[in-house]
Amino acid sequence: MTAENENILADLEWTVAAGADEAVGDVPVDRFSVRSKPLAVPVPVPVATIPAASPEPVSDPAPSVVNATTLEELRNMMANFDCALKKTAQNLVFSDGNPSADLMIVGEAPGAEEDKTGLPFVGASGHLLDKMLASIGLDRTSVYISNVVPWRPPLNRKPSEAEVALLAPFIRRHIALAHPKVLLLLGGSSVSALLGIGEGITRARGKWYAYRDGQLEIPAFASFHPAFLLRSPAQKKAAWFDFLTIKRALSE
Ligand code: URA
């Protein structure tokens, strides 16, 4: 073997040892001559010409909700509102039941079934809620139901504090327009969003609070969310007492 061939073989062995064990082109490329060409120098792009990732426009519903003077107007206003949650949801979940009912129930946010149908509490939690209501002689003709967040968060995740804060003006206006005699707040999100109580639902439940919005004051009772009761059936007894308290309040 000539000295030149020995060098070529040594190069090849070194290349294979370095991991290049496959030929990717039929035509050989002389990398040394390619490399000897002047390298392209990147030309700096002035920052101003790089398009900025446009942040999602976030309109604040707070100033305009007072323009909704009926539930229908509020529903239309919400249907025309743009936010990230609305983009990933199929339907606005506004309410179900009787808007003139003495009892208004406020949950957290729609799940998959609610998103499909546009109605609150129609999935597994909803079935349990219907049974709990039936146990105190109520149904969807005698209660009004809505949620703090009207669009399903992706993958049923808990709505973030920022999402709740952004959308809270809608449920507050909703409550003002429905003007129930009693509010039943189900779960920690509803309790913290509407009462500003952050102590957790286990401590907050089973008690009366005053829901306040300007001049408006409505007695509000905190209880467990039915989804929690499905996961923790041992708590159903406490929820049963909560519902008896609601029944008593409605008959006074
Ligand atoms: N959980 C809620 O809080 N609301 C619904 O509408 C359904 C499930």
Side-chain angles (χ1 to χ4, degrees), residues 197-242:
I197 290 173
E199 65 178 351
I201 191 64
T202 309
R203 302 191 96 215
R205 68 144 283 277
K207 295 180 215 159
W208 286 103
Y209 302 88
Y211 167 78
R212 292 199 179 89
D213 187 14
Q215 301 293 318
L216 182 67
E217 187 171 319
I218 299 174
F221 195 80
S223 190
F224 288 128
H225 192 286
F228 171 75
L229 295 174
L230 288 172
R231 293 193 303 272
S232 314
Q235 300 296 339
K236 281 185 183 170
K237 188 176 166 193
W240 161 242
F241 284 114
D242 290 350

Side-chain angles (χ1 to χ4, degrees), residues 107-110 114 120-121 147 225:
E108 181 182 85
E114 289 78 16
F121 283 101
N147 283 305
H225 192 286

Side-chain angles (χ1 to χ4, degrees), residues 91-208:
N91 280 303
L92 166 70
V93 177
F94 184 73
S95 69
D96 194 20
N98 180 353
S100 313
D102 283 346
L103 178 64
M104 179 169 181
I105 300 171
V106 183
E108 181 182 85
E113 286 302 310
E114 289 78 16
D115 188 35
K116 238 182 269 167
T117 56
L119 292 170
F121 283 101
V122 290
S125 301
H127 293 148
L128 178 56
L129 177 61
D130 285 341
K131 283 188 200 158
M132 293 162 79
L133 288 172
S135 75
I136 55 167
L138 299 175
D139 61 20
R140 290 187 189 226
T141 66
S142 49
V143 302
Y144 188 53
I145 308 177
S146 191
N147 283 305
V148 168
V149 168
W151 289 284
R152 180 197 184 202
L155 301 172
N156 286 356
R157 66 164 168 74
K158 204 175 156 60
S160 70
E161 276 182 28
E163 288 162 344
V164 170
L166 175 71
L167 299 167
F170 286 132
I171 188 63
R172 296 187 83 84
R173 187 65 183 162
H174 204 150
I175 293 168
L177 291 170
H179 202 163
K181 182 177 165 195
V182 170
L183 273 171
L184 172 58
L185 309 180
L186 298 180
S189 294
S190 176
V191 167
S192 69
L194 296 174
L195 301 176
I197 290 173
E199 65 178 351
I201 191 64
T202 309
R203 302 191 96 215
R205 68 144 283 277
K207 295 180 215 159
W208 286 103

Side-chain angles (χ1 to χ4, degrees), residues 28-124:
V29 177
D30 181 352
R31 299 286 167 200
F32 292 103
S33 74
V34 170
R35 198 166 303 151
S36 66
K37 286 182 188 157
L39 292 171
V41 178
V43 179
V45 178
V47 172
T49 66
I50 302 173
S54 49
E56 189 185 51
V58 174
S59 39
D60 183 355
S64 55
V65 287
V66 288
N67 296 328
T69 56
T70 64
L71 290 172
E72 206 43 47
E73 283 174 9
L74 181 65
R75 181 200 281 266
N76 289 337
M77 183 180 281
M78 290 165 71
N80 289 316
F81 184 75
D82 276 326
C83 68
L85 284 185
K86 182 187 173 185
K87 288 198 181 99
T88 52
Q90 289 181 49
N91 280 303
L92 166 70
V93 177
F94 184 73
S95 69
D96 194 20
N98 180 353
S100 313
D102 283 346
L103 178 64
M104 179 169 181
I105 300 171
V106 183
E108 181 182 85
E113 286 302 310
E114 289 78 16
D115 188 35
K116 238 182 269 167
T117 56
L119 292 170
F121 283 101
V122 290

